Amino acid sequence: STFVSLLYTPFMLYKMGQSEFGLYSLTISVVGYLTILDFGFGYAIVRYTAKYRTLQDKEKEYNLNGMFIIIYTIIGIITAIAGAILYLNAENMFAAKMTSIEVERAKILILLLVFNLAVSFPLGIFSNIIIAYEEFIFSKVINIVRILISPCIMIPLLILGYRAIGMVVVTTILNLCILLINMWFCLAKLKVKVYFNTFDFSLFKEIFIFSFYGFLNIIVDRITWSADQLILGVVSGTVAVAVFSIAAQINSYYLSFSTALSGLFLPKLTAMFTKGATN
């Protein structure tokens, strides 16, 4: 991912121009704040699915899947509403330092990105289930294929003159394809089922307490790594955002190394804990 990005980003910046690239980065950053609506439940899906797999309690595992689909569908609806509020207030936020054309493009980008995120919430549980089942090869291969396909589609579009909106449309389509492939893999290959028999409120309370720390992590992450671009967009405009985004992107490459392995351990550690492993 880092290697492809290092090769592809300079070309993208050259074809889009600083202003358009800054607009693209800014809207991604703004809509990215809505990811806090995950509330850290992604960690809980992995943890509790791994737990019930270890206990071989399929009934609870499948009911858990149904509960999370209900929760994330509600979150997806809330995301759509919040996105609509962002869309309606885009002019108030950015009109001072952006042209009317840039504001209109920003509003279109916000709509597309919010749709992407709202759909990703309920369908995204299947990618977490794959991690809980420790099917890392499938998960990572699919991700690598997406990383390689994306610039192969984007580069011709950039050459043809399509810019930020075209890129977000392609990203949305690719993301939907990956989400549907993950769902197919869970249902057809892993034989995962989804039950809507009962909504266990006591379990939900336990999950919410567990997820709260992940939720705090998401909030801190957003404030630390996204607030800069939002502030620059409001007070300085898209060109300043473009310059800052490149530096921030390089920083993110280093951050990715710190999380490359940690995400692989949660299912295994959960299984060991469930079996009563010593410290």
Side-chain angles (χ1 to χ4, degrees):
S1 177
T2 302
F3 181 70
V4 169
S5 185
L6 283 169
L7 291 176
Y8 168 58
T9 302
F11 176 81
M12 179 171 62
L13 182 58
Y14 169 72
K15 296 302 290 184
M16 290 177 70
Q18 275 189 313
S19 178
E20 187 80 2
F21 181 80
L23 183 67
Y24 172 74
S25 301
L26 177 61
T27 49
I28 289 175
S29 177
V30 170
V31 175
Y33 273 96
L34 297 180
T35 58
I36 66 172
L37 293 172
D38 178 83
F39 293 109
F41 287 132
Y43 301 103
I45 295 171
V46 176
R47 196 258 183 186
Y48 283 88
T49 301
K51 175 184 176 180
Y52 291 135
R53 280 194 70 223
T54 304
L55 295 173
Q56 296 183 339
D57 192 335
K58 291 296 181 185
E59 184 75 18
K60 284 190 175 180
E61 181 189 337
Y62 298 155
N63 271 317
L64 182 77
N65 295 338
M67 186 170 74
F68 274 119
I69 285 179
I70 292 169
I71 292 168
Y72 271 117
T73 299
I74 294 168
I75 289 173
I77 293 167
I78 294 169
T79 301
I81 294 168
I85 294 169
L86 269 180
Y87 172 83
L88 294 172
N89 286 278
E91 198 162 345
N92 295 331
M93 292 169 65
F94 304 120
K97 292 294 179 179
M98 288 166 58
T99 66
S100 58
I101 295 173
E102 285 180 328
V103 171
E104 287 305 312
R105 283 180 181 168
K107 290 170 77 173
I108 295 169
L109 291 171
I110 287 169
L111 278 180
L112 290 168
L113 290 167
V114 166
F115 169 77
N116 191 351
L117 188 59
V119 172
S120 295
F121 275 130
L123 291 180
I125 74 160
F126 295 104
S127 59
N128 287 310
I129 291 171
I130 291 169
I131 293 170
Y133 273 67
E134 299 183 86
E135 294 287 345
F136 298 123
I137 293 175
F138 175 83
S139 175
K140 299 303 180 184
V141 166
I142 288 294
N143 199 37
I144 289 168
V145 169
R146 180 186 61 78
I147 289 163
L148 293 174
I149 287 176
S150 182
C152 291
I153 298 173
M154 300 282 199
I155 288 171
L157 288 176
L158 286 168
I159 292 171
L160 290 171
Y162 293 93
R163 298 166 81 181
I165 293 173
M167 292 180 65
V168 172
V169 168
V170 171
T171 301
T172 302
I173 293 169
L174 284 176
N175 186 52
L176 282 172
C177 290
I178 296 298
L179 291 170
L180 292 172
I181 289 169
N182 285 337
M183 183 173 73
W184 166 82
F185 184 78
C186 284
L187 299 177
K189 296 297 181 181
L190 299 180
K191 306 299 180 185
V192 169
K193 293 183 174 65
V194 179
Y195 292 168
F196 297 99
N197 298 338
T198 57
F199 192 97
D200 191 334
F201 285 96
S202 61
L203 176 61
F204 174 73
K205 182 180 177 181
E206 181 185 334
I207 288 171
F208 186 82
I209 293 169
F210 171 81
S211 301
F212 180 71
Y213 299 98
F215 176 51
L216 288 179
N217 182 66
I218 293 169
I219 292 174
V220 172
D221 188 64
R222 285 288 107 193
I223 293 171
T224 305
W225 304 116
S226 298
D228 325 65
Q229 295 176 51
L230 176 59
I231 293 166
L232 282 173
V234 172
V235 303
S236 298
T238 54
V239 174
V241 174
V243 175
F244 184 87
S245 295
I246 296 296
Q249 195 169 357
I250 292 169
N251 179 65
S252 71
Y253 301 151
Y254 288 95
L255 289 174
S256 67
F257 287 110
S258 68
T259 58
L261 290 175
S262 61
L264 307 180
F265 289 122
L266 183 56
K268 178 69 173 177
L269 293 175
T270 300
M272 293 171 67
F273 178 79
T274 303
K275 290 176 181 177
T278 64
N279 287 335

